[in-house]
Amino acid sequence: MSPILMAIILVTVIGLIGAVILVAASIVMYVPVDERVEQITGVLAGANCGACGCAGCADYAKSIVEDGNDINKCVPGGAKCAAAIAQIMGVEAGEMVPMKAVVACSGTCEKTSKRYTFEGISSCQAVKGLYNGDGACQYGCLGYGDCTRACAFDAIHIVDGIAKVDREKCTGCGACAAVCPNHVIEVVPEHKRKPVVLCQNKDKGAQTRKACTAGCIGCMKCAKACPKQAITVENNVAYIDQSLCVGCQLCVKECPVGVIHVPAAM
């Protein structure tokens, strides 16, 4: 028998033995997968945004089936997704409150300015690392678009120097908030009347006004006007507790710098 033929036979035999071993291993080590995991993964939004607290959609689906995780945590999928999962799992969907991202900054180009010209990587994280940002207000939106690149739904863009949320497209997944180095983006329950404070400046009023004409000056007029004590002023900036707010909007009328707005009306 020729050496070439011998080599071919040897390789073939080794391949067959390896195939038998792999088949046997797949049978012995087979882990049954609940078909509901694949079904739930199929009805999820597919954004893999992490808003549910899991690593991705497949991980969330598995946690629902195997660990009894709540079925209404897919923020991008909303109530429709929760209803589909409920049908698969044979449970009640329950109530799901729509969430929307809000940019808590009013510092547009005409209301604030830059301290220096940044010539580097167009990234909020990059400019934040250089003297705490290039803006006159060191607490505001940096405007270099890290949030726009993080959004899988094209729901946030840089307009007039700051991030602006397209509320029709926003799913409230929170990806934009997670990457914002100044933490000016928050995700709040969608409401047609409840206002938010669009400022994060923690400096005293006079210093805030020098940095931005639309900054909260901590005057406490909004807190005094609120009939439900839903507003507190901490570190020179107002904060509205959405769970206490009833949407009377008296704070909007009282704010002397016009920094309190109802997102749904913007």
Side-chain angles (χ1 to χ4, degrees), residues 201-219:
N201 196 314
K202 297 176 177 60
D203 294 330
K204 292 184 178 180
Q207 188 175 348
T208 297
R209 291 291 288 175
K210 289 180 180 179
C212 179
T213 58
C216 176
I217 56 177
C219 65

Side-chain angles (χ1 to χ4, degrees), residues 35 41 94 118 124 126 137 183 185 192 208 212 216 220 237 240:
E35 63 178 11
T41 303
F118 177 73
C124 298
C137 174
H183 308 292
I185 305 177
K192 293 182 178 180
T208 297
C212 179
C216 176
M220 298 189 70
V237 64
I240 301 176

Side-chain angles (χ1 to χ4, degrees), residues 188-230:
V188 299
E190 173 76 329
H191 199 284
K192 293 182 178 180
R193 293 194 56 82
K194 292 186 178 183
V196 293
V197 180
L198 302 185
C199 181
Q200 294 288 319
N201 196 314
K202 297 176 177 60
D203 294 330
K204 292 184 178 180
Q207 188 175 348
T208 297
R209 291 291 288 175
K210 289 180 180 179
C212 179
T213 58
C216 176
I217 56 177
C219 65
M220 298 189 70
K221 286 187 176 181
C222 55
K224 294 175 182 177
C226 181
K228 298 297 181 181
Q229 289 77 52

Side-chain angles (χ1 to χ4, degrees), residues 38-232:
E38 293 184 0
Q39 292 175 352
I40 293 173
T41 303
V43 301
L44 291 172
N48 292 311
C49 59
C52 58
C54 299
C57 294
D59 189 44
Y60 176 45
K62 185 178 179 181
S63 71
I64 291 174
V65 174
E66 297 183 0
D67 304 323
N69 201 348
D70 293 337
I71 65 171
N72 58 356
K73 288 185 176 181
C74 182
V75 180
K80 183 178 179 181
C81 176
I85 298 173
Q87 186 173 7
I88 294 171
M89 294 297 294
V91 297
E92 293 291 330
E95 184 180 2
M96 187 169 187
V97 179
M99 306 292 284
K100 298 289 182 181
V102 173
V103 181
C105 177
S106 302
T108 58
C109 293
E110 64 178 15
K111 295 176 181 177
T112 188
S113 59
K114 299 288 186 181
R115 292 185 293 126
Y116 61 85
T117 301
F118 177 73
E119 296 181 355
I121 301 172
S122 184
S123 164
C124 298
Q125 292 285 354
V127 73
K128 176 70 175 179
L130 187 63
Y131 304 113
N132 206 31
D134 60 353
C137 174
Q138 297 184 39
Y139 301 92
C141 175
L142 293 161
Y144 285 85
D146 287 12
C147 54
T148 67
R149 291 182 285 274
C151 181
F153 305 95
D154 190 38
I156 187 166
H157 305 93
I158 303 300
V159 179
D160 199 13
I162 62 173
K164 183 177 179 60
V165 177
D166 184 334
R167 304 189 69 76
E168 292 297 322
K169 293 182 178 179
C170 179
T171 62
C173 69
C176 55
V179 300
C180 179
N182 270 359
H183 308 292
V184 298
I185 305 177
E186 57 182 325
V187 179
V188 299
E190 173 76 329
H191 199 284
K192 293 182 178 180
R193 293 194 56 82
K194 292 186 178 183
V196 293
V197 180
L198 302 185
C199 181
Q200 294 288 319
N201 196 314
K202 297 176 177 60
D203 294 330
K204 292 184 178 180
Q207 188 175 348
T208 297
R209 291 291 288 175
K210 289 180 180 179
C212 179
T213 58
C216 176
I217 56 177
C219 65
M220 298 189 70
K221 286 187 176 181
C222 55
K224 294 175 182 177
C226 181
K228 298 297 181 181
Q229 289 77 52
I231 306 177
T232 55

Side-chain angles (χ1 to χ4, degrees), residues 10-66:
L10 182 60
V11 170
T12 303
V13 172
I14 293 174
L16 289 172
I17 294 173
V20 171
I21 292 173
L22 288 175
V23 171
S26 66
I27 295 173
V28 173
M29 302 178 67
Y30 173 73
V31 178
V33 177
D34 194 316
E35 63 178 11
R36 293 177 298 175
V37 174
E38 293 184 0
Q39 292 175 352
I40 293 173
T41 303
V43 301
L44 291 172
N48 292 311
C49 59
C52 58
C54 299
C57 294
D59 189 44
Y60 176 45
K62 185 178 179 181
S63 71
I64 291 174
V65 174
E66 297 183 0

